[in-house]
Amino acid sequence: MLKDRITGSKALMRALQAEGVKTIFGYPGGSIMPVYDALYDYTRGEKKCFDHILVRHEQGATHAAEGYARVSGEVGVALVTSGPGVTNTLTGIADAMLDSTPIVVIAGQVPIGALGTDSFQEVDLVGVSQPISKWSYQIRHAEDVAWAVSRAFYIARTGRPGPVVLDFPKNAQVEEIDWEPKKCDFIRSYVPYPKLDNEAVRQAAELINNAKRPLALVGQGVELGNAQEELKAFLEKADIPAGRTMLGLSALASDHPLNVGMLGMHGNYAVNLKEQECDVLIAIGMRFSDRVTGNLKTYAKQAKIIHLDIDRSEIDKNVKTDVAVVTDCKESLPALTALVNANNHKEWRDSFEPLNNKERVKVIEPAIHPKEGPLLMGEVVNAVAQQAKDDAVLVTDVGQNQLFATRYFKYHHKRSICTSGGLGTMGYGMPAAIGATFGAPQRQVCCFMGDGGFQMNIQELGTIMEQKAAVKMILMNNHYLGNVRQWQDMFWMRRKSFTKMMNPCYEAIAQGYGIPYIAVTDRKDLAKAVEQMLNTDGPFIMECAIKEDDDVLPMTPPGMDVDKMMLEV
């Protein structure tokens, strides 16, 4: 019997195929060339099983893999070379780690015989990536490829998801082995799904059943656990109002009657104040970020705290809990729902409305329906949200564009938001939107960017051009690094230190990349421009001239109590 003898590079192709990979975002180079040679046959003809998307910068590959993962629920894959190729991915790896995004980054490396010699484009990838990844491993021999790839995908997608890095020296890429598939579904000492503690569930249910003013805080863990329906069943049975973190916004539809808005520094007024009034606070798949809690010394001290999370390290890390239920919320929520009483908290829910009205009058209406003056970011977001399809995906960059977009976009469908939360990565938006178009090709992808973030990965317009990726780019141009400018105005005596931007002609840039473009300077033209953008096949850039000193409100100043929200400057 003839043995199936192949190179390590071809073994990588088979291992990726076995993991169900369909799309790879990458950039070739010297130390990964054998893999790219093997990839040639797997992207063409009858043997084709992968789409390879040639990005224009390796950071773009990781963010595209993130966007793909966030909307598809699958593991995103980036393929790059050694040295500067892989160090360019570190921002995306750190971003994925903080936001629990499952990606696998595979990087070329110099042969193991050259390691430690300062060989051309050698870098200690395992050393630099270990602190910012779930697992980082060097595949030193071809015989380890199948095992390492299966283990990498298992770690990336299970438990609390996250990034995994594989360092692939060139000798292992060209060595020949007898192919033998491997499947990893267990790792000693790694417990991705802790066993449900039924006593903790009982204690949590007792607190909820005795609560007069319960409040749920919903995070991305609900999305990652595919527990959106389980969440609704729990909230509806116990009649509990729910706020959502930025990354958890699409875990509960915008128009759901129990949705009381976004949490955090620039979240909604009522829900932030009510965190300081509730008697039981139920955190579900969220990590009590400082941008949600404000001053920890005063945060929700009146409430009993219940924390549902898959990651035990998050329990009591920031906020001391009374009851912790540690497992996947796909399991914990139904268990809790079975024990909670059907309830009616109408009086408590109604108490949100005066605060909602106050925010609506002072902030929301002036932001989305201004009567005069330059265009505002809120009205641009609202105009797009009014015409976008119900299952549209919101992608944002970082800054004021992100804060306005997440506040005023509408969410009707699960996995509808891609944004950089924990790391706050400018330049995330455009490549993440590219990934989203491949992760959910049937959905509309609307990407909001400021002029600063747009230029940080502007080279990915080349990827959009080549792939004809249907990214609807909304460039909100105020000629400032807007969020930093706002903080300088509010907290630094209006000393605008290097936040003013001299920008290029974006119309000429769009023309150079062959991407349809329209400029909006007057609000009377906004709705028609949005219609043109959304109805044009393929990519589109809509540039909006935004008021320079447009501020995001409400706002809880950094380090302040969460209920000390400013409705005006």
Side-chain angles (χ1 to χ4, degrees):
M1 181 178 177
L2 292 175
K3 292 184 177 180
D4 193 7
R5 197 159 181 82
I6 60 174
T7 65
S9 295
K10 290 183 179 178
L12 176 63
M13 297 299 106
R14 293 190 183 184
L16 293 176
Q17 191 176 11
E19 294 300 327
V21 173
K22 298 290 191 297
T23 306
I24 299 169
F25 303 93
Y27 202 98
S31 289
I32 198 67
M33 208 170 291
V35 170
Y36 267 88
D37 184 70
L39 184 62
Y40 186 92
D41 291 329
Y42 283 80
T43 54
R44 291 165 172 80
E46 294 181 2
K47 202 174 182 180
K48 178 179 178 179
C49 58
F50 305 129
D51 287 316
H52 178 273
I53 311 306
L54 178 65
V55 296
R56 299 308 189 258
H57 189 280
E58 292 88 355
Q59 182 182 350
T62 51
H63 292 327
E66 287 186 274
Y68 179 93
R70 292 275 278 271
V71 301
S72 69
E74 303 296 331
V75 178
V77 179
L79 182 64
V80 299
T81 194
S82 64
V86 74
T87 57
N88 283 341
T89 70
L90 294 178
T91 296
I93 293 168
D95 191 277
M97 187 66 177
L98 282 170
D99 285 352
S100 304
T101 305
I103 65 171
V104 172
V105 176
I106 303 166
Q109 180 60 280
V110 301
I112 58 173
L115 290 173
T117 67
D118 291 333
S119 181
F120 178 67
Q121 293 193 334
E122 177 193 355
V123 69
D124 179 8
L125 175 58
V126 172
V128 298
S129 63
Q130 271 185 337
I132 55 172
S133 61
K134 278 190 78 176
W135 186 52
S136 185
Y137 181 76
Q138 188 174 79
I139 306 173
R140 297 174 69 88
H141 301 286
E143 63 189 20
D144 297 327
V145 169
W147 169 85
V149 170
S150 182
R151 184 181 175 102
F153 277 78
Y154 176 67
I155 292 172
R157 65 164 61 103
T158 56
R160 180 179 182 173
V164 170
V165 177
L166 293 178
D167 193 32
F168 198 10
K170 205 166 184 179
N171 63 286
Q173 297 176 39
V174 298
E175 287 173 359
E176 288 194 346
I177 55 163
D178 295 330
W179 167 252
E180 184 180 348
K182 302 284 186 183
K183 184 63 178 176
C184 176
D185 56 13
F186 171 79
I187 300 172
R188 189 173 61 184
S189 79
Y190 173 58
V191 184
Y193 304 103
K195 184 179 179 182
L196 181 66
D197 182 344
N198 290 313
E199 175 58 20
V201 175
R202 187 197 66 76
Q203 292 175 15
E206 184 177 356
L207 287 177
I208 294 168
N209 288 336
N210 291 323
K212 302 299 182 186
R213 300 181 305 280
L215 178 63
L217 311 183
V218 176
Q220 190 194 193
V222 172
E223 296 265 59
L224 296 174
N226 293 310
Q228 298 88 350
E229 292 304 315
E230 289 80 0
L231 172 70
K232 283 201 301 181
F234 165 68
L235 296 176
E236 289 170 0
K237 181 178 181 182
D239 196 33
I240 298 174
R244 302 156 300 157
T245 67
M246 182 180 288
L247 295 185
L249 282 170
S250 61
L252 188 67
S254 298
D255 57 1
H256 192 285
L258 291 173
N259 168 27
V260 290
M262 185 170 76
L263 303 162
M265 178 179 281
H266 290 287
N268 291 107
Y269 188 60
V271 67
N272 278 279
L273 269 61
K274 291 298 181 178
E275 287 178 272
Q276 303 295 72
E277 295 180 23
C278 67
D279 57 2
V280 173
L281 188 152
I282 309 118
I284 307 170
M286 55 87 73
R287 59 186 178 87
F288 287 113
S289 160
D290 59 294
R291 288 298 174 100
V292 166
T293 64
N295 182 5
L296 281 170
K297 293 179 180 179
T298 61
Y299 180 72
K301 293 303 180 184
Q302 80 293 338
K304 296 291 186 182
I305 308 293
I306 300 168
H307 195 171
L308 279 62
D309 205 282
I310 199 169
D311 186 352
R312 191 175 299 278
S313 70
E314 292 296 344
I315 305 300
D316 296 332
K317 185 173 79 174
N318 296 326
V319 173
K320 178 68 176 174
T321 60
D322 293 280
V323 179
V325 182
V326 184
T327 194
D328 192 346
C329 57
K330 185 82 169 176
E331 183 180 5
S332 60
L333 280 171
L336 192 55
T337 304
L339 297 183
V340 297
N341 298 332
N343 217 323
N344 186 331
H345 292 291
K346 185 177 185 305
E347 184 177 348
W348 166 238
R349 287 189 288 103
D350 287 348
S351 72
F352 284 70
E353 199 53 34
L355 298 173
N356 287 333
N357 287 334
K358 188 174 182 180
E359 180 184 0
R360 192 175 297 117
V361 171
K362 283 185 169 289
V363 177
I364 296 175
E365 282 302 315
I368 66 175
H369 296 129
K371 293 182 172 54
E372 57 185 9
L375 283 169
L376 302 181
M377 290 193 192
E379 70 174 311
V380 172
V381 176
N382 184 63
V384 176
Q386 293 296 321
Q387 296 192 48
K389 294 179 179 177
D390 278 357
D391 67 346
V393 175
L394 170 69
V395 184
T396 83
D397 209 86
V398 166
Q400 287 185 315
N401 67 90
Q402 174 188 41
L403 302 171
F404 276 110
T406 52
R407 276 182 59 84
Y408 295 120
F409 206 72
K410 304 300 179 189
Y411 310 93
H412 304 282
H413 195 279
K414 65 182 182 180
R415 294 188 176 275
S416 290
I417 180 169
C418 293
T419 192
S420 173
L423 199 62
T425 305
M426 288 182 68
Y428 171 93
M430 193 184 299
I434 294 170
T437 65
F438 286 93
Q442 75 285 359
R443 298 175 68 181
Q444 219 168 42
V445 175
C446 299
C447 181
F448 291 85
M449 294 173 279
D451 41 316
F454 187 92
Q455 293 181 73
M456 276 204 171
N457 269 316
I458 196 170
Q459 76 285 339
E460 296 308 325
L461 288 173
T463 308
I464 291 173
M465 171 185 67
E466 182 175 355
Q467 300 297 330
K468 298 180 175 59
V471 180
K472 309 306 181 184
M473 291 166 274
I474 301 95
L475 170 56
M476 300 197 288
N477 186 358
N478 58 9
H479 294 277
Y480 269 98
L481 298 175
N483 211 39
V484 185
R485 189 275 312 154
Q486 179 172 337
W487 282 45
Q488 287 173 338
D489 280 352
M490 294 176 71
F491 310 122
W492 295 93
M493 301 174 65
R494 299 188 178 274
R495 290 159 57 91
K496 296 181 179 65
S497 182
F498 300 101
T499 46
K500 180 77 171 177
M501 299 278 288
M502 177 181 285
N503 289 323
C505 174
Y506 292 110
E507 182 177 11
I509 290 171
Q511 185 178 5
Y513 284 102
I515 296 174
Y517 165 96
I518 192 169
V520 184
T521 58
D522 194 310
R523 62 178 43 88
K524 67 178 174 56
D525 302 320
L526 179 59
K528 187 175 181 180
V530 170
E531 181 182 11
Q532 181 180 342
M533 174 183 69
L534 295 179
N535 289 332
T536 299
D537 291 337
F540 198 100
I541 297 173
M542 182 178 76
E543 180 184 1
C544 299
I546 299 295
K547 181 184 178 186
E548 287 189 351
D549 59 351
D550 191 10
D551 289 332
V552 189
L553 292 168
M555 181 179 186
T556 302
M560 294 292 288
D561 300 351
V562 70
D563 58 343
K564 298 297 189 295
M565 291 200 87
M566 302 166 54
L567 290 174
E568 54 192 4
V569 179

